[in-house]
């Protein structure tokens, strides 16, 4: 009888303190995952942040200077990591969410790719790993009804916000595999490569590589500049 009670209490306490993604509104994304050689390599960090925001999270890059609301209450925020494993043939990526005590709150299924080119392999594996995260049907469920002030993005992320005028409007012209974004003089400003999603594209602006994605009603171009991740708002008409 005593053994039964002990087992019941252990089971009950484990369920009582179990956590889920729905318990968290905010998530921190590092600008460089552990297996990377440079910030936002292959644009994996930008793509991770984009997917989390698309799910409904408020995602922020985990720079050394964070918004005070996060810094003063770190246990209200999830940390996300993308971990690499694999063999000579396979590239495997797993998305891991941890709390402030480094306990795993959720771990995705392994996304696998046999692509030989590194960038294609990473992008495919990350996309497959996120498929299982999307299946969690994330919906923030606050523990209390106390309102939380909205956060602003980290000051360490350089932001260049363009004024929405017809002078800055870029027209999307369909081409094989994506779009060209042209200005009013019909000059190509961006070349977009389709990723299979109509709100997320690989982007090339001259010699600058990055991504263009939609957030709400706005479009943004994110890229690396002098070891900083820059987010630039742009106007596009598809």
């Amino acid at each position: 009888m005593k053994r039964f009670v002990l087992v019941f209490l252990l089971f009950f306490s484990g369920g009582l303190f179990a956590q889920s993604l729905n318990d968290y509104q905010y998530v921190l994304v590092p600008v460089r995952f552990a297996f990377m050689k440079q910030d936002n390599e292959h644009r994996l960090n930008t793509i991770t942040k984009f997917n989390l925001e698309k799910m409904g999270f408020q995602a922020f890059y985990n720079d050394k200077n964070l918004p005070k609301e996060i810094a003063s209450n770190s246990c209200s925020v999830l940390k996300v990591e993308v971990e690499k494993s694999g063999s000579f043939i396979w590239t495997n990526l797993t998305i891991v969410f941890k709390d402030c005590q480094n306990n795993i709150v959720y771990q995705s299924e392994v996304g696998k790719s046999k692509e030989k080119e590194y960038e294609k392999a990473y992008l495919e594996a990350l996309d497959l790993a996120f498929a299982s995260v999307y299946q969690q049907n994330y919906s923030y469920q606050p523990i209390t009804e106390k309102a939380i002030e909205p956060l602003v993005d980290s000051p360490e992320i350089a932001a260049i916000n363009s004024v929405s005028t017809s002078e800055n409007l870029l027209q999307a012209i369909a081409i094989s595999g994506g779009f060209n974004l042209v200005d009013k003089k019909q000059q190509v400003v961006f070349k977009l490569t389709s990723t299979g999603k109509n709100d997320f594209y690989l982007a090339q602006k001259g010699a600058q590589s990055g991504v263009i994605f939609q957030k709400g009603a706005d479009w943004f171009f994110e890229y690396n500049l002098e070891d900083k991740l820059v987010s630039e708002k742009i106007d596009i008409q598809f």
Side-chain angles (χ1 to χ4, degrees), residues 84-100:
K84 177 186 175 185
S85 61
S87 61
F88 180 73
I89 298 177
W90 292 93
T91 295
N92 299 337
L93 294 181
T94 306
I95 305 163
V96 181
F97 295 84
K98 296 181 179 180
D99 64 16
C100 61

Side-chain angles (χ1 to χ4, degrees), residues 97-216:
F97 295 84
K98 296 181 179 180
D99 64 16
C100 61
Q101 298 180 344
N102 286 324
N103 298 312
I104 295 177
V105 175
Y106 174 77
Q107 181 169 307
S108 76
E109 295 181 9
V110 179
K112 299 182 178 183
S113 175
K114 291 181 70 174
E115 288 282 350
K116 295 181 180 179
E117 185 180 331
Y118 281 126
E119 182 165 332
K120 289 183 179 179
Y122 283 130
L123 294 177
E124 181 180 36
L126 185 64
D127 192 51
L128 292 172
F130 257 111
S132 64
V133 185
Y134 274 100
Q135 289 175 358
Q136 300 304 304
N137 296 318
Y138 166 78
S139 177
Y140 175 54
Q141 298 173 2
I143 297 176
T144 67
E145 297 299 322
K146 183 179 179 181
I148 299 176
E149 292 295 324
L151 302 181
V152 295
D153 217 333
S154 169
E156 288 296 306
I157 304 299
I160 306 172
N161 294 321
S162 303
V163 178
S164 297
T165 69
S166 58
E167 292 295 317
N168 299 319
L169 185 65
L170 299 176
Q171 182 72 40
I173 307 297
I175 60 173
S176 177
F179 293 89
N180 281 339
L181 300 185
V182 301
D183 59 19
K184 63 178 183 178
K185 297 180 180 179
Q186 295 300 298
Q187 294 178 334
V188 177
V189 180
F190 291 94
K191 290 185 177 181
L192 306 187
T193 301
S194 176
T195 64
K197 301 176 182 177
N198 59 11
D199 54 2
F200 193 94
Y201 299 90
L202 304 181
Q204 191 74 30
K205 183 181 182 182
Q208 186 68 61
S209 298
V211 295
I212 283 179
F213 60 91
Q214 187 177 30
K215 183 177 179 181

Side-chain angles (χ1 to χ4, degrees), residues 192-238:
L192 306 187
T193 301
S194 176
T195 64
K197 301 176 182 177
N198 59 11
D199 54 2
F200 193 94
Y201 299 90
L202 304 181
Q204 191 74 30
K205 183 181 182 182
Q208 186 68 61
S209 298
V211 295
I212 283 179
F213 60 91
Q214 187 177 30
K215 183 177 179 181
D218 298 320
W219 289 89
F220 295 89
F221 175 46
E222 284 199 354
Y223 57 97
N224 287 346
L225 180 63
E226 297 178 352
D227 295 328
K228 283 191 175 182
L229 192 59
V230 177
S231 182
E232 178 179 346
K233 183 179 176 182
I234 57 177
D235 291 323
I236 306 175
Q237 182 178 352
F238 281 94

